[in-house]
Amino acid sequence: MSGHREAPVPGWVAPARALAQRPPAVPRLPFAVAGQAVGSVAPGVLEGIALETAIAGTTLLKESHAGSARWHLACAPADATQALAALADALRRAGRCGAWRDEQLTVCNAAGERIGTVERGAVRALGIATRAVHLVACAPDGRQWVQQRAFDKPSHPGRWDTLMGGMVS
């Protein structure tokens, strides 16, 4: 036996995990690109969005799929990044996406395979999962070091957070 003893799990962990698993307050519709599920969309986000794109065969449509409704950015798989760029731009013009950062993030299908990229400001609106890296520091007695987010951050201002972290583009 090494003598190493695991630190007790802090009382806030279980409620935080439960909160993370809670379903959305408003049901969302699945969102697919080139026939592949990539995210989910809240009501009102894509309604009335018109794509102004020169990519032949690209359309945004609400369709029935497997007995349920879904939003589908129909395009050739090779055109997924261009089609997503056109959609992100349309969302931006309509005021329906986050802060524009000129930063492309990977878009993966349900199997975790990369199908394209999209502007970071559009990922929340489209319910696209992102990848991030965080640094967590723990003391030998189990205490954790945290930092407070800046009050001018666009998301979760002033909240406690990991020491550092960021999106993986």
Side-chain angles (χ1 to χ4, degrees), residues 52-76:
E52 296 173 19
T53 178
I55 306 164
T58 299
T59 56
L60 176 65
L61 55 133
K62 192 174 188 179
E63 64 183 11
S64 178
H65 177 76
S68 300
R70 78 169 181 181
W71 282 99
H72 186 199
L73 183 59
C75 62

Side-chain angles (χ1 to χ4, degrees), residues 134-146 161-164:
H134 290 271
L135 175 66
V136 178
C138 299
D141 64 2
R143 291 179 298 146
Q144 294 182 344
W145 291 84
V146 295
D161 204 350
T162 56
L163 291 182
M164 65 171 39

Side-chain angles (χ1 to χ4, degrees), residues 4-165:
H4 174 73
R5 197 173 46 172
E6 290 206 21
V9 177
W12 59 266
V13 172
R17 285 183 177 150
L19 185 63
Q21 298 303 316
R22 188 177 61 184
V26 176
R28 298 171 66 95
L29 289 180
F31 173 62
V33 176
Q36 300 186 62
V38 299
S40 64
V41 183
V45 171
L46 293 180
E47 281 81 359
I49 294 292
L51 290 182
E52 296 173 19
T53 178
I55 306 164
T58 299
T59 56
L60 176 65
L61 55 133
K62 192 174 188 179
E63 64 183 11
S64 178
H65 177 76
S68 300
R70 78 169 181 181
W71 282 99
H72 186 199
L73 183 59
C75 62
D79 295 332
T81 294
Q82 286 180 289
L84 283 161
L87 178 56
D89 187 55
L91 288 168
R92 178 186 189 182
R93 288 191 318 270
R96 296 182 190 171
C97 70
W100 202 264
R101 301 176 187 220
D102 290 319
E103 180 181 354
Q104 293 292 302
L105 297 180
T106 298
V107 177
C108 294
N109 62 17
E113 301 162 330
R114 182 185 185 275
I115 65 160
T117 64
V118 69
E119 160 61 36
R120 179 177 177 170
V123 295
R124 284 185 187 238
L126 298 174
I128 295 172
T130 56
R131 295 178 179 164
V133 176
H134 290 271
L135 175 66
V136 178
C138 299
D141 64 2
R143 291 179 298 146
Q144 294 182 344
W145 291 84
V146 295
Q147 58 93 13
Q148 191 171 26
R149 292 174 66 86
F151 284 93
D152 61 353
K153 282 289 221 183
S155 60
H156 311 296
R159 290 225 177 140
W160 294 102
D161 204 350
T162 56
L163 291 182
M164 65 171 39

